[in-house]
């Protein structure tokens, strides 16, 4: 077996974990699992790739993409989520409406940017040029991506301990009760969509140096991000990190032992197996008051 | 609309059921279509519509009725098509066994993706189907030795029947006949208990489980039937196109079928037909606007979800109802037998005793129940009272198995029920109602009450699908029984009304009727008097007394202490998860500890009970 799959699997898995965290940011306060999240990631990648190509520095491109995609996320809440949740908070009609929103983004991006993937260089001082360390092939960007993802997820978990973070958790637990305590769930939903979409844009830019920026990014990251979120336990960010890494490694392993065509099949098999044993994922909440 | 007659009157002259007219019309249209089509291309298109209609009906069963949105029906179609095509071309099978194999393997694939969906919610399932579609798409290319990769399977022959290959017209007739058969089968399934079960699965799982419905079996059934229908469509897809390639089954294909179903009317019988036809009436969509197709799908889906969640079928129906109402129709007369005041002997039940010992339940850091020990005598009316958050509803939820205790034992008669699934406990004879009524808003009051008897229905799936005499008899019997129980709780004049249109207080009564329909030996009522007017509470008290008169053990969680004092001989007071006092209402409500915990300082007798 080829040990090179370890850093490349972990790097890909880190991106899946970041997509999963984007889902969680939205899901915790709204109970909506955004089917357009993959396309928001993709849109973020396209916008920042164009900005960098136009000569903007990395950080500026990141902020511009996050702000623009954040607004697209707000618009999604306004058009495709809020009116439907208002009609019936128990219905799952938002599955189809957020899916519809994702189709619209996907098609429009395809028309604006065309089908060709855009290459994005990583920010100084990192590079995707590979080198050998202890007999394993990796690149400085891969290592930086893995480390940065771990740090970001720890940081986000710290946020949930703050006052604003506790408000998010309160709404996740009981929307009406939170309202009585002076938390406005609608305002929180808007912020969540803005921040979740912004986070997706950042994920898109981070994915571009290894995966290229292209419309292909949307659907594949939607599925992989969901798998990471589900395996890790929906709403659990640290779980998503571990799950992302496990999936990334499984995918790389399946691709290297069998053939690259088996990448999707290996993560899907892992997902089925884990959900059969642990329906709420490896680190999911055991149960909630539902009746 | 025709006037409805009282059942007790003279039997009306048997009139032709309009269903038969519609069926005869459909058969005639199908027979005449190849002649009317004038040309091979239109016949080809007609056959394609008929194949797509099969897929749409299968998807509607799963996504519309059972509420499990699938994003992999394009991939399931591919499984059916590829299995059939490969068996026919590379292995020389005849069409019929090849199509059967395609159907079987597609059904197996449906069962596979259904496995993890058992205990997770609908959106989870939607994403699992998306991941599955991704895998199938990859494998069509990866397993090139089998599927011929991008080149696809070519030269798929026409099905042969007694030595001669079917003509295009015969193929059309065959697929159209299958459409009609499939339509009738789904119509029967939905009319029978599966329709009620699916609606519960979609809109209210808790109510379904409390009615004794095993979600696992029902979900698996929906997945497998839906996949099998799609696999069958795949077999015809292969022979009609004669060439199939991976490009025929992109993720867009799955989205296309979803759009068809939502456009026509998701969870509506005629929805798939309307949706499929609508797509083929606007053929430009398929050609000149090709590159904007996904955008159009997206906009159409979003607009439908916002403005017409029940699709074209729902919009037609709403418009029609408005038209008819403005013409001034009368409400259908109450069915007289439903208000029969006496009780049958076979309604008598042997009440169930409940004994709870050392029960502990924690939610995170909160201990909702703290070593609760409690005995409820068989056939008694027993109240559980206490301030908000004292653990009353949690206790009910543990008895009927929604929550698993952290410690302690619950016995119903001699049966230890800790760890049993809710549906299994319900089938022991435990009925319940909920704090906020959990009815299926779109279904009639009668259908909602019939849901309570789901687990007791005996007609087999095949009998229901064919609407065999036994299924029809059972249906009629249960409907009469449901109307009877609606009359029993005082809703005899609301039997046909959609449950969602009943006022809140009547929804509570309908829930009691639903619970009674399951022949409970133990009935758990969670705050049945909340939101009721004083006169309604009096009637509720009388109703509970007559239920107890049947022998049923009644456990009631209630804040309305006058009602409790009126109907119960035993009261248990919970406070912060512990039993504070128990005994007769008189003694308990005068207990100083209860008074101070529950009401502050005034004795209960003087306190004004908030409604």
């Amino acid at each position: 077996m080829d040990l090179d799959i370890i850093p490349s699997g972990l790097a890909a898995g880190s991106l899946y974990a970041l997509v999963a965290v984007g889902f969680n940011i939205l899901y915790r306060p709204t109970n909506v699992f955004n089917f357009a999240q993959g396309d928001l990631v993709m849109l973020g990648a396209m916008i920042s790739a164009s900005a960098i190509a136009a000569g903007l520095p990395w950080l500026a491109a990141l902020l511009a993409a996050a702000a623009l995609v954040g607004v697209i996320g707000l618009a999604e809440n306004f058009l495709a989520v809020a009116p439907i949740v208002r009609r019936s908070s128990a219905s799952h009609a938002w599955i189809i409406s957020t899916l519809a929103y994702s189709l619209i983004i996907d098609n429009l991006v395809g028309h604006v940017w065309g089908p060709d993937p855009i290459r994005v260089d990583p920010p100084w001082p990192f590079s995707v040029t590979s080198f050998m360390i202890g007999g394993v092939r990796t690149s400085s960007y891969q290592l930086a991506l893995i480390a940065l993802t771990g740090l970001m997820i720890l940081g986000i978990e710290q946020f949930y301990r703050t006052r604003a973070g506790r408000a998010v958790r309160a709404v996740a637990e009981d929307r009406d009760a939170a309202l009585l305590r002076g938390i406005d769930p609608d305002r929180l939903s808007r912020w969540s969509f803005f921040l979740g979409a912004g986070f997706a844009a950042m994920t898109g830019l981070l994915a571009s140096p290894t995966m290229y920026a292209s419309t292909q990014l949307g659907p594949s990251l939607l599925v992989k991000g969901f798998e990471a979120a589900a395996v890790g336990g929906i709403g659990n960010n640290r779980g998503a990190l571990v799950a992302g890494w496990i999936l990334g490694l499984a995918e790389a392993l399946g691709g290297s032992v069998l053939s690259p065509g088996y990448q999707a099949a290996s993560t899907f098999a892992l997902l089925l197996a884990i959900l059969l044993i642990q329906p709420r994922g490896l680190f999911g909440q055991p149960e909630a008051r539902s009746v | 609309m025709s006037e409805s007659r009282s059942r007790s009157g003279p039997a009306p002259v048997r009139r032709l059921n309009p269903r038969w007219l519609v069926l005869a019309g459909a058969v005639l249209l199908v027979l005449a279509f190849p002649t009317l089509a004038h040309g091979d291309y239109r016949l080809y298109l007609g056959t394609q519509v008929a194949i797509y209609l099969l897929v749409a009906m299968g998807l509607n069963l799963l996504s519309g009725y059972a509420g499990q949105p699938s994003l992999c029906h394009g991939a399931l179609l591919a499984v059916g098509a590829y299995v059939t095509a490969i068996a026919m071309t590379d292995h020389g099978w005849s069409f019929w066994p090849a199509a059967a194999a395609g159907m079987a393997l597609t059904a197996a694939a449906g069962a596979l993706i259904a496995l993890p969906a058992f205990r997770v919610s609908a959106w989870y399932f939607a994403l699992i189907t998306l991941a599955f579609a991704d895998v199938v798409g990859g494998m069509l290319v990866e397993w090139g030795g089998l599927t011929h990769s991008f080149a696809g399977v070519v030269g798929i022959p026409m099905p042969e029947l007694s030595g001669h290959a079917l003509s295009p017209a015969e193929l059309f007739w065959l697929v159209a006949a299958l459409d009609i058969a499939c339509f009738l089968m789904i119509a029967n399934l939905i009319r029978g208990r599966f329709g009620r079960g699916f609606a519960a699965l979609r809109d209210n799982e808790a109510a379904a489980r409390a009615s004794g419905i095993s979600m696992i079996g029902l979900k698996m059934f929906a997945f497998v039937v839906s996949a099998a229908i799609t696999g069958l469509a795949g077999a015809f897809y292969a022979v009609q196109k004669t060439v199939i390639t991976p490009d025929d089954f992109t993720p867009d294909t799955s989205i296309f079928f979803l759009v068809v179903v939502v456009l026509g009317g998701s969870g509506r019988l005629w929805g798939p037909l309307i949706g499929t036809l609508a797509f083929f009436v606007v053929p430009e969509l398929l050609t000149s606007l090709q590159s904007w197709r996904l955008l159009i799908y997206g906009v159409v889906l979003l607009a439908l979800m916002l403005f017409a969640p029940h699709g074209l079928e729902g919009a037609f129906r709403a418009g029609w109802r408005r038209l008819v109402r403005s013409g001034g129709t009368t409400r259908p007369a109450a069915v007289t037998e439903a208000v029969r005041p006496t009780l049958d002997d076979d309604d008598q039940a042997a009440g169930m005793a409940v004994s709870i010992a050392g029960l502990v339940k924690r939610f995170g850091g909160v201990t909702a129940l703290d070593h609760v020990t409690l005995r409820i005598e068989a056939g008694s009316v027993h109240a559980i009272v206490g301030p908000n958050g004292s653990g009353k509803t949690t206790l009910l939820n543990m008895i009927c198995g929604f929550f698993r205790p952290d410690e302690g034992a619950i016995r119903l008669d001699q049966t230890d029920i800790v760890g049993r699934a809710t549906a299994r406990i319900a089938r022991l004879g435990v009925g319940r109602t909920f704090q906020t009524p959990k009815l299926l808003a779109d279904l009639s009051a009668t259908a909602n009450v019939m849901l309570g008897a789901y687990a007791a229905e005996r007609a087999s799936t095949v009998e229901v699908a064919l609407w065999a005499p036994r299924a029809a008899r059972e249906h009629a019997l249960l409907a009469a029984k449901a109307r009877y129980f609606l009359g029993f709780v005082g809703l005899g004049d609301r039997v046909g009304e959609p449950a969602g249109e009943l006022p809140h207080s009547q929804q509570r009564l309908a829930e009691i009727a639903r619970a009674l329909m399951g022949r409970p030996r133990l009935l758990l009522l969670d705050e049945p008097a909340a939101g009721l007017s004083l006169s309604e509470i009096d009637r509720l008290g009388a109703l509970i007394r007559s239920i107890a008169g049947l022998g049923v053990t009644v456990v009631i969680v209630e804040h309305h202490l006058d009602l409790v004092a009126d109907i119960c001989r035993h009261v248990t007071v919970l406070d912060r998860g512990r039993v504070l006092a128990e005994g007769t209402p008189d003694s308990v409500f005068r207990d100083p500890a209860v008074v101070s915990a529950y009401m502050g300082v005034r004795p209960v007798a003087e306190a004004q009970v908030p409604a």
Side-chain angles (χ1 to χ4, degrees):
Chain A
M1 197 183 72
D2 196 350
L3 285 179
D4 295 353
I5 63 163
I6 294 173
S8 67
L10 288 179
S14 297
L15 291 170
Y16 304 156
L18 288 176
V19 180
V21 170
F23 280 128
N24 286 341
I25 290 177
L26 270 176
Y27 183 77
R28 273 177 120 161
T30 60
N31 280 330
V32 166
F33 198 91
N34 183 16
F35 278 64
Q37 195 74 10
D39 280 307
L40 293 177
V41 172
M42 181 270 288
L43 182 62
M46 304 309 273
I47 293 175
S48 46
S50 296
I52 289 169
L56 241 61
W58 239 71
L59 202 60
L62 176 70
L63 290 176
L68 279 172
V69 177
V71 171
I72 304 270
L74 264 182
E76 181 184 7
N77 180 46
F78 180 71
L79 288 172
V81 178
I84 282 168
V85 174
R86 204 176 303 132
R87 194 164 58 210
S88 159
S89 58
S91 103
H92 284 119
W94 51 261
I95 298 175
I96 292 175
S97 63
T98 59
L99 180 75
Y101 198 75
S102 93
L103 297 177
I104 296 171
I105 297 179
D106 194 69
N107 198 258
L108 288 178
V109 168
H111 276 276
V112 172
W113 273 278
D116 296 328
I118 307 170
R119 210 188 110 130
V120 177
D121 287 324
W124 184 87
F126 303 108
S127 127
V128 287
T129 320
S130 55
F131 59 85
M132 300 294 286
I133 178 167
V136 176
R137 181 179 304 277
T138 182
S139 72
S140 59
Y141 184 71
Q142 269 184 351
L143 297 177
L145 183 61
I146 298 167
L148 181 68
T149 304
L151 286 176
M152 274 198 301
I153 287 174
L154 287 180
I156 287 168
E157 284 298 284
Q158 284 303 314
F159 162 78
Y160 279 110
R161 302 223 169 89
T162 65
R163 192 179 152 76
R166 283 205 305 271
V168 170
R169 285 192 299 181
V171 173
E173 211 142 279
D174 191 333
R175 233 180 141 80
D176 298 330
L179 191 63
L180 293 176
R181 294 199 168 81
I183 302 166
D184 176 358
D186 291 334
R187 185 160 163 263
L188 204 57
S189 295
R190 288 195 294 274
W191 269 107
S192 308
F193 266 89
F194 181 75
L195 292 176
F199 194 84
M202 186 200 65
T203 309
L205 176 55
L206 290 177
S208 307
T210 54
M211 298 176 135
Y212 293 96
S214 86
T215 47
Q216 298 299 313
L217 220 49
S220 84
L221 284 181
L222 172 69
V223 169
K224 290 287 158 38
F226 156 69
E227 289 177 341
V231 168
I234 302 292
N236 186 331
N237 290 326
R238 266 175 290 186
L241 180 63
V242 176
W245 284 345
I246 293 175
L247 286 165
L249 287 175
E251 178 185 68
L253 188 67
S256 106
V257 174
L258 299 164
S259 96
Y262 281 95
Q263 285 186 350
S266 29
T267 56
F268 183 66
L270 189 66
L271 173 77
L272 284 192
I274 288 175
L275 288 188
L276 271 181
I277 303 162
Q278 288 278 351
R280 287 170 202 279
L282 295 177
F283 311 97
Q285 303 288 324
E287 61 188 275
R289 288 195 215 214
S290 57
V291 187
Chain B
M1 273 191 131
S2 65
E3 90 246 50
S4 64
R5 283 161 193 272
S6 145
R7 290 282 173 99
S8 55
V13 182
R14 242 189 117 102
R15 270 172 310 174
L16 195 58
N17 189 331
R19 280 170 224 263
W20 292 111
L21 283 179
V22 174
L23 183 62
V27 171
L28 277 179
L29 193 68
V30 164
L31 286 176
F33 181 77
T35 328
L36 297 173
H38 279 304
D40 293 344
Y41 180 66
R42 272 191 229 159
L43 184 58
Y44 179 88
L45 218 55
T47 312
Q48 203 172 27
V49 170
I51 292 170
Y52 284 5
L53 177 56
L54 269 182
V55 183
M57 285 193 288
L59 179 60
N60 189 37
L61 185 74
L62 180 60
S63 300
Y65 285 113
Q68 311 289 317
S70 155
L71 300 171
C72 70
H73 268 57
L76 291 175
L77 185 71
V79 174
Y82 265 93
V83 171
T84 309
I86 292 167
M88 287 176 81
T89 54
D90 293 347
H91 302 278
W93 290 24
S94 109
F95 172 76
W96 314 104
M103 234 176 126
L105 274 172
T106 313
L112 176 75
I113 45 176
L115 280 180
F118 282 159
R119 287 192 276 172
V120 298
S121 81
W123 59 265
Y124 230 95
F125 170 67
L127 281 154
I128 290 171
T129 60
L130 198 62
F132 171 77
D134 207 25
V135 172
V136 171
M139 291 301 111
L140 288 185
V141 177
E142 184 63 28
W143 289 347
L146 200 62
T147 63
H148 309 278
S149 205
F150 290 112
V153 185
V154 296
I156 307 162
M158 266 297 205
E160 283 185 19
L161 199 59
S162 58
H164 89 100
L166 296 184
S167 70
E170 286 164 337
L171 184 70
F172 170 79
W173 283 327
L174 180 59
V175 183
L178 285 171
D179 277 326
I180 293 176
C182 183
F183 180 91
L184 294 175
M185 180 191 82
I186 290 176
N188 288 338
L189 285 176
I190 295 309
R191 212 163 128 209
R193 65 172 179 274
F194 296 100
R196 299 187 284 278
F198 287 157
L201 190 63
R202 181 184 63 205
D203 297 333
N204 220 322
E205 277 204 30
R209 287 191 288 149
S211 301
I213 304 176
S214 150
M215 294 284 105
I216 292 184
L218 199 58
K219 275 188 189 176
M220 186 53 108
F221 178 72
F223 289 142
V224 170
V225 173
S226 176
I229 295 172
T230 308
L232 180 67
F236 286 101
Y237 186 93
V239 292
Q240 194 214 10
K241 294 207 58 158
T242 68
V243 179
I244 51 170
T245 67
D247 283 343
D248 291 334
F249 310 101
T250 59
D252 296 8
T253 320
S254 298
I255 303 279
F256 163 79
F257 287 116
L258 191 70
V259 177
V260 164
V261 168
V262 174
L263 176 67
S266 154
R268 301 291 171 128
L269 198 53
W270 293 94
L273 180 65
I274 297 171
T276 314
L277 289 177
F279 250 92
F280 282 84
V281 172
V282 260
E284 290 94 323
L285 269 190
L286 304 165
T287 50
S288 65
L289 291 171
Q290 183 73 18
S291 71
W292 296 100
R293 202 173 47 180
L294 277 184
L295 180 75
I296 294 164
Y297 288 177
V299 172
V300 167
L301 275 179
L302 191 56
L304 284 166
M305 292 323 288
L306 287 175
F307 305 114
H310 296 296
L312 293 176
E313 207 262 13
F316 287 153
R317 225 166 251 266
W320 173 252
R321 221 179 295 144
R322 223 167 289 140
L323 210 68
V324 171
R325 269 204 192 143
S326 63
T329 49
T330 50
R331 183 179 289 170
V335 182
T336 42
E337 66 176 347
V339 285
R340 199 170 37 163
T342 54
L343 300 167
D344 292 343
D345 278 347
D346 65 334
D347 285 323
Q348 288 293 331
M352 191 183 260
V354 184
S355 66
I356 291 169
L359 198 64
V360 176
K361 181 66 191 174
R362 297 184 197 92
F363 292 104
V366 184
T367 306
L369 290 177
D370 188 2
H371 294 93
V372 169
T373 299
L374 178 63
R375 188 170 162 78
I376 298 168
E377 301 298 333
S380 67
V381 179
H382 194 120
I384 296 171
V385 301
N388 282 325
S390 58
K392 304 180 300 290
T393 298
T394 305
L395 185 63
L396 285 198
N397 283 337
M398 315 272 289
I399 296 175
C400 68
F402 277 117
F403 298 152
R404 208 192 155 106
D406 292 317
E407 285 172 39
I410 305 173
R411 284 177 186 281
L412 303 179
D413 284 343
Q414 300 312 314
T415 320
D416 180 7
I417 51 113
V418 169
R420 283 208 193 184
T422 302
R424 280 186 60 205
I425 295 173
R427 279 179 296 207
L428 290 174
V430 179
R432 78 165 287 177
T433 67
F434 296 89
Q435 250 176 53
T436 22
K438 292 183 185 295
L439 294 173
L440 306 168
D442 300 335
L443 266 54
S444 71
T446 307
N448 266 284
V449 174
M450 287 169 81
L451 184 72
Y454 186 95
E457 290 193 40
R458 289 287 159 264
S460 69
T461 308
V462 176
E463 283 172 317
V464 176
L466 300 175
W467 211 245
R470 192 153 95 120
R473 258 200 323 273
E474 189 171 63
H475 180 81
L477 197 74
L478 287 174
K481 195 90 196 165
R483 286 193 297 265
Y484 164 63
F485 276 122
L486 279 167
F488 182 66
V489 301
L491 296 179
D493 56 342
R494 311 306 290 269
V495 290
E497 211 129 328
E501 288 175 20
L502 296 177
H504 192 75
S505 59
Q506 299 193 347
Q507 293 198 10
R508 288 187 180 286
L509 295 173
E511 272 213 317
I512 296 178
R514 178 177 69 195
L516 290 176
M517 192 74 184
R519 296 304 191 88
R521 295 168 51 216
L522 170 66
L523 181 61
L524 311 171
L525 302 174
D526 196 353
E527 298 193 19
L532 264 56
S533 72
L534 284 175
S535 64
E536 283 170 330
I537 289 176
D538 283 345
R539 262 178 284 146
L540 177 71
L543 175 63
I544 294 174
R545 241 182 266 118
S546 51
I547 292 170
L550 299 173
V552 178
T553 310
V554 180
V555 178
I556 173 171
V557 165
E558 190 47 72
H559 282 303
H560 224 286
L561 301 185
D562 289 343
L563 177 68
V564 168
D566 188 27
I567 60 172
C568 303
R569 242 170 285 157
H570 307 273
V571 178
T572 301
V573 184
L574 287 183
D575 183 37
R576 277 169 284 176
R578 261 172 291 201
V579 177
L580 187 64
E582 50 189 335
T584 62
D586 260 6
S587 65
V588 163
F589 293 156
R590 288 181 198 291
D591 185 330
V594 175
V595 173
S596 71
Y598 202 86
M599 310 272 347
V601 281
R602 287 184 299 165
V604 174
E606 296 162 29
Q608 201 61 45
V609 181

